[in-house]
C-alpha cells in the first residue's frame, strides 16, 4: 500500500502491518470497554445543569488561567516549580479530602510564589483544607433558617454590597486572632457569614454559602452581585500583575453515569443533568466497538456456518477469497528510485527591529507566537556563529569551546528547547505557561550567551546582520 507523505513522495507500507496494527487497536478498545462519560449533578465545573458551576468556570477563564482540578496529586506534579500566584477555589465539595489531597495542597502552599484560598461552602468537608493550610476559620455546617436571607458584605479591598443567600451556614474562627476579620453578616440574625484571614501572607476567604456561585444563581438577575464579589476577591489575591492560576476544585463531587440515571427513573435527578452529557454518554456506548463488534462477529459467524451447511462447496469459495485477500496484502519486492534530500533554507527576517522593540517594551502583551519568533531568530544566530542549532545535543560543548560557561550553556539550551516544543505543540508539558514571563527570561538567557560572542539583543545592528547573512 502507498501512503502519500508530501508532494511527489510516497512510502510503501505493508498491508499486513496495517491489518496487524488495526487488529491490535481494536482488541485494545474491546479490552478497555466503552468510555464512561460521567457527570456530577453538584457544583462541578463541568456540570452545566442548574446546580453546576460551569458558568463560573467560563467567566473566570476570561481573565485567568483556570484549571479544574480532578486530581490534586497531578496538579502537584504539574506545578512542582510553582513560580506564580495560585488561588484555590472550593465550592460546596461533596466527598471528604484524603490525606494525599491535603498533602498536595500543603505542598502548593509552601512552593507557590503566592498562595491564596477561597472557600464557599455550607457544609463541613472544606474544614479539613482550612485546617491544613493553618487557618483558624471553620464552617459550622448548620443551615441558617429561614432560607433566602440577605448578607451585607464589606471587604478590606473595597468591595461592598448585599448578596441574597440560599443555603447558608455560619462561619466562625476557632480562636480569637488579629489576623481574622469578618466581611459579611446576615442582616436579620447578625450572624457572621464570611471572613477574611491573612496568615503570614497566605490569604483566606471563607463564605458559608456555596450556592451563591451555582449556574442557576449566576444566570439569574441577582447573580451579578455574587460574581462581582468573587471576581474582586480573586483580583485582590492575584495582585497588580494579574498573573495567577486559579485551581478550581473538580475532584470532590459524586460522579454519575447519565445513562444509569435515566434508567433509574429518578425525575428530580434527571432534571439536574446536562442533556449534552447524556447524549455523549449514549453515543460513546453506541459507537464503541465493544458494543457492536461482538454481535456483528457473531452474526457473520452464524451466517457463514449456515451457508456451509446449505452448500458444502461454499467452504472452498471462502478459502479462495481468503487466499486472494492474503496475496494482495503480502508485500512484494518493489524498486524505488532514490531521491536526494531537500536543502534546508533559512528564512529571511523582516521587521526585526519592530519585533525587538515589542519584546523589550514595558507592559507589552507577549504571546506564544512571540516566543516562537524569538526562538527562531536566536536559533538562526547561534547556527551561523557556531554551526550548531539549539536542538543539537553538542551545542553546550561547542559554546564552552567559545568561552561560555558549560552550565549556563546547558541551562540556556534546555530552557529554549523545552518551551519551543511546548509552543509548537510537540509536548503538553508544562501544562501551564505564562508566555510573557517565559519570553522575557528567554531574552535574558540569550543575552548571556550571545553577548560574549559579540551579539546583543538590545543592539540590533550586529544581530540583524548575522541573520541577514545566514539567510543568503
Amino acid at each position: 500500500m502507498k501512503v502519500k507523505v508530501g508532494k511527489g513522495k510516497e512510502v510503501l507500507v505493508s498491508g499486513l502491518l496495517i491489518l496487524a496494527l488495526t487488529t491490535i487497536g481494536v482488541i485494545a478498545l474491546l479490552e478497555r470497554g466503552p468510555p464512561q462519560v460521567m457527570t456530577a449533578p453538584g457544583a462541578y465545573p463541568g456540570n452545566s445543569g442548574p446546580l453546576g458551576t460551569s458558568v463560573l468556570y467560563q467567566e473566570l477563564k476570561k481573565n485567568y488561567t483556570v484549571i479544574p482540578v480532578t486530581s490534586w496529586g497531578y496538579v502537584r506534579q504539574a506545578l512542582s516549580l510553582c513560580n506564580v500566584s495560585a488561588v484555590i477555589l472550593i465550592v460546596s465539595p461533596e466527598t471528604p479530602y484524603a490525606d494525599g489531597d491535603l498533602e498536595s495542597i500543603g505542598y502548593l502552599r509552601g512552593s507557590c510564589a503566592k498562595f491564596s484560598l477561597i472557600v464557599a461552602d455550607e457544609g463541613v468537608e472544606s474544614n479539613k483544607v482550612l485546617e491544613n493550610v493553618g487557618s483558624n476559620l471553620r464552617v459550622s455546617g448548620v443551615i441558617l433558617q429561614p432560607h433566602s436571607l440577605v448578607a451585607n458584605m464589606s471587604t478590606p479591598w473595597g468591595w461592598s454590597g448585599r448578596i441574597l443567600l440560599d443555603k447558608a451556614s455560619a462561619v466562625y474562627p476557632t480562636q480569637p486572632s488579629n489576623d481574622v476579620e469578618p466581611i459579611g453578616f446576615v442582616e436579620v440574625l447578625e450572624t457572621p457569614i464570611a471572613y477574611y484571614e491573612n496568615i503570614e501572607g497566605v490569604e483566606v476567604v471563607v463564605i458559608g454559602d456555596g450556592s451563591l456561585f451555582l449556574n442557576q444563581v449566576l444566570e439569574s438577575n441577582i447573580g451579578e452581585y455574587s460574581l462581582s464579589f468573587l471576581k474582586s476577591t480573586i483580583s485582590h489575591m492575584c495582585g497588580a500583575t494579574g498573573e495567577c492560576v486559579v485551581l478550581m476544585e473538580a475532584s470532590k463531587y459524586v460522579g454519575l453515569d447519565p445513562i444509569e440515571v435515566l434508567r433509574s427513573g429518578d425525575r428530580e435527578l434527571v432534571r439536574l443533568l446536562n442533556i449534552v452529557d447524556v447524549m455523549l454518554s449514549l453515543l460513546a456506548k453506541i459507537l464503541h466497538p465493544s458494543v457492536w463488534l461482538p454481535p456483528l462477529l457473531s452474526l457473520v459467524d452464524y451466517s457463514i456456518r449456515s451457508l456451509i451447511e446449505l452448500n458444502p462447496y461454499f467452504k472452498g469459495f471462502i478459502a479462495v477469497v481468503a487466499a486472494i485477500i492474503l496475496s494482495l496484502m503480502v508485500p512484494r519486492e518493489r524498486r524505488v528510485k532514490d531521491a536526494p534530500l531537500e536543502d534546508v533554507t533559512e528564512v529571511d527576517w523582516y521587521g526585526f527591529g519592530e519585533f525587538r522593540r515589542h519584546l523589550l517594551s514595558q507592559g507589552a502583551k507577549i504571546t506564544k507566537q512571540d516566543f516562537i519568533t524569538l526562538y527562531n531568530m536566536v536559533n538562526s544566530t547561534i547556527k551561523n556563529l557556531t554551526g550548531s542549532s539549539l536542538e543539537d545535543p553538542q551545542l553546550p560543548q561547542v559554546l564552552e569551546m567559545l568561552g561560555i560557561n558549560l552550565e549556563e550553556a546547558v541551562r540556556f539550551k534546555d530552557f529554549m528547547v523545552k518551551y519551543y516544543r511546548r509552543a509548537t505543540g510537540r509536548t503538553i508539558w508544562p501544562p501551564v505557561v505564562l508566555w510573557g514571563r517565559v519570553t522575557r527570561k528567554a531574552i535574558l538567557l540569550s543575552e548571556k550567551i550571545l553577548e560574549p560572542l559579540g551579539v546583543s539583543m538590545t543592539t540590533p545592528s550586529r544581530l540583524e546582520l548575522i541573520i541577514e547573512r545566514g539567510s543568503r
Side-chain angles (χ1 to χ4, degrees), residues 319-434:
V320 172
V321 172
I324 293 173
I325 295 175
L326 187 62
S327 65
L328 292 174
M329 300 186 69
V330 172
R332 293 185 296 274
E333 182 179 355
R334 294 182 176 92
R335 297 183 180 274
V336 181
K337 185 179 179 180
D338 290 336
L341 294 174
E342 295 180 354
D343 294 333
V344 178
T345 305
E346 296 289 343
V347 179
D348 289 333
W349 294 101
Y350 298 103
F352 170 68
E354 183 64 30
F355 174 72
R356 183 190 65 260
R357 286 191 292 272
H358 169 66
L359 288 186
L360 298 178
S361 63
Q362 295 294 327
K365 180 175 178 60
I366 298 176
T367 65
K368 176 173 62 177
Q369 189 58 46
D370 290 330
F371 175 83
I372 293 175
T373 304
L374 174 68
Y375 176 95
N376 288 330
M377 288 191 297
V378 173
N379 186 48
S380 179
T381 305
I382 289 288
K383 195 170 183 179
N384 283 287
L385 291 173
T386 67
S388 300
S389 66
L390 285 172
E391 294 195 63
D392 189 346
Q394 301 301 319
L395 177 62
Q397 287 73 24
V398 174
L399 292 173
E400 184 182 26
M401 289 188 294
L402 296 175
I404 307 297
N405 180 273
L406 180 60
E407 291 183 1
E408 290 185 0
V410 171
R411 184 163 58 251
F412 162 72
K413 173 189 176 298
D414 291 345
F415 181 89
M416 297 294 287
V417 172
K418 171 185 175 182
Y419 284 102
Y420 180 72
R421 290 175 176 270
R422 176 66 176 84
T424 54
R426 291 154 68 181
T427 178
I428 61 172
W429 200 264
V432 179
V433 180
L434 301 175

Side-chain angles (χ1 to χ4, degrees), residues 109 129-138 197 199 204:
R109 181 193 189 282
V129 179
L130 292 168
E131 181 181 0
N132 184 64
V133 301
S135 172
N136 288 322
L137 300 175
R138 300 292 184 271
E197 183 178 20
I199 318 161
V204 179

Side-chain angles (χ1 to χ4, degrees), residues 92 120-124 139-143 167-169 207-211:
S92 301
D121 188 14
E122 64 281 352
V124 297
V139 182
S140 69
V142 179
I143 303 300
K167 293 178 62 178
S169 177
I207 182 167
D209 190 355
S211 62

